[in-house]
Amino acid sequence: MNLVEFESVTKRYQLGEVQVTALNSVDFTVQKGDFVAITGPSGSGKTTMLNLIGCLDSATSGEIRVAGQAVSQLSDRQLDTLRSRTYGIIFQNFNLVPVLSALENVMLPLYLHRLSKAEMRRRAQASLAAVNLSRFAGFRPDQLSGGQRQRVAVARALVTEPKLILADEPTASLDTASALSLVELMKQLNREQGVTFVFSTHDQRLLQHVKRVVELRDGHLSDSAAEAPLTAAAELTTDTSEVA
């Protein structure tokens, strides 16, 4: 099942008098259960592609379909509903609210879903358990390590039970051990719970641990599969709840 389909998608930006082509007639699909890394040099269009996948931007030409729906045919309200029901987002800089606990941060997206406070708390606790942070539920972000804060961000992305999680450079702010621990966590969620991930990275430490790599260069895309063993990640993360 295709969650996302790009058909001859082009995206151009006008920068002053100069027109920049970020994506040039790109064909691309994301299937349920995929674990995809988008890579390429800075300015190659990685963030543009994530924004288009997440319906945060619109294509200049071509067609984008999400869960079988042509995005260009949806109203603003329909797009809002599609985004809230389809995607979870992991931000590069965590974007946690500093005065809230880890549990309260994870609960935030659920306020849009008209759930009871008890149900929101139950889901948030389950999401924290999925990323091995149950005992840190009452901790504020400044009481957590960088890796732990990123895991809270993963739990927040998971809590709405999205079809697809998008992450823009999720390891950029992490040291090597925490970064590889996060990738192992995402692969575990992908493997055991069927969570679909698409993330951008130029971090060469991570690409050997990804089973599908999409490379962007000069607006064009190439796609490869490269399932690799996770032994290196395992060697670097003996206790992921502490290291990360």
Side-chain angles (χ1 to χ4, degrees):
M1 173 187 175
N2 288 334
L3 293 179
V4 178
E5 299 173 83
F6 279 32
E7 185 177 320
S8 299
V9 169
T10 294
K11 179 64 181 179
R12 297 189 181 95
Y13 294 101
Q14 194 71 34
L15 298 177
E17 297 181 358
V18 178
Q19 190 173 75
V20 177
T21 300
L23 297 179
N24 190 358
S25 194
V26 166
D27 295 316
F28 174 67
T29 60
V30 178
Q31 296 184 334
K32 181 176 173 58
D34 260 348
F35 190 85
V36 186
I38 302 173
T39 188
S42 296
S44 62
K46 299 188 299 295
T47 299
T48 296
M49 194 160 176
L50 282 183
N51 287 342
L52 290 171
I53 293 170
C55 300
L56 300 173
D57 202 351
S58 56
T60 304
S61 63
E63 187 65 76
I64 299 173
R65 287 181 289 274
V66 176
Q69 301 180 79
V71 171
S72 61
Q73 298 176 11
L74 300 180
S75 67
D76 288 344
R77 173 172 284 189
Q78 288 172 320
L79 280 172
D80 286 341
T81 300
L82 179 69
R83 284 190 288 261
S84 68
R85 302 292 178 182
T86 304
Y87 302 105
I89 308 291
I90 303 172
F91 297 96
Q92 178 177 330
N93 295 316
F94 317 136
N95 285 11
L96 302 179
V97 180
V99 298
L100 299 182
S101 68
L103 181 67
E104 290 165 337
N105 268 285
V106 174
M107 288 172 64
L108 281 177
L110 296 174
Y111 283 93
L112 298 174
H113 289 246
R114 299 181 180 179
L115 301 173
S116 69
K117 194 70 173 285
E119 177 63 12
M120 288 193 293
R121 180 174 290 272
R122 184 195 68 77
R123 285 201 190 185
Q125 288 170 335
S127 287
L128 285 173
V131 300
N132 301 317
L133 282 184
S134 291
R135 64 193 181 96
F136 296 98
F139 286 54
R140 294 189 311 274
D142 64 357
Q143 298 172 306
L144 301 171
S145 71
Q148 288 167 339
R149 290 197 294 273
Q150 191 61 297
R151 283 172 174 259
V152 174
V154 174
R156 183 180 57 191
L158 284 170
V159 76
T160 60
E161 300 176 355
K163 295 181 176 69
L164 174 62
I165 291 182
L166 302 175
D168 192 5
E169 299 281 3
T171 62
S173 303
L174 303 179
D175 59 46
T176 296
S178 295
L180 292 176
S181 173
L182 177 63
V183 171
E184 169 59 16
L185 170 65
M186 292 193 298
K187 288 211 74 168
Q188 180 182 349
L189 293 168
N190 173 260
R191 198 168 49 237
E192 297 179 2
Q193 299 185 27
V195 179
T196 304
F197 284 92
V198 178
F199 63 94
S200 70
T201 185
H202 62 266
D203 190 341
Q204 293 299 318
R205 302 171 302 177
L206 308 182
L207 295 179
Q208 62 181 310
H209 304 293
V210 177
K211 59 186 177 183
R212 181 181 170 203
V213 177
V214 172
E215 183 176 11
L216 281 169
R217 285 189 180 274
D218 301 321
H220 297 280
L221 175 149
S222 63
D223 197 343
S224 64
E227 183 72 58
L230 294 175
T231 52
E235 289 171 0
L236 283 167
T237 54
T238 54
D239 182 351
T240 56
S241 66
E242 293 296 337
V243 173

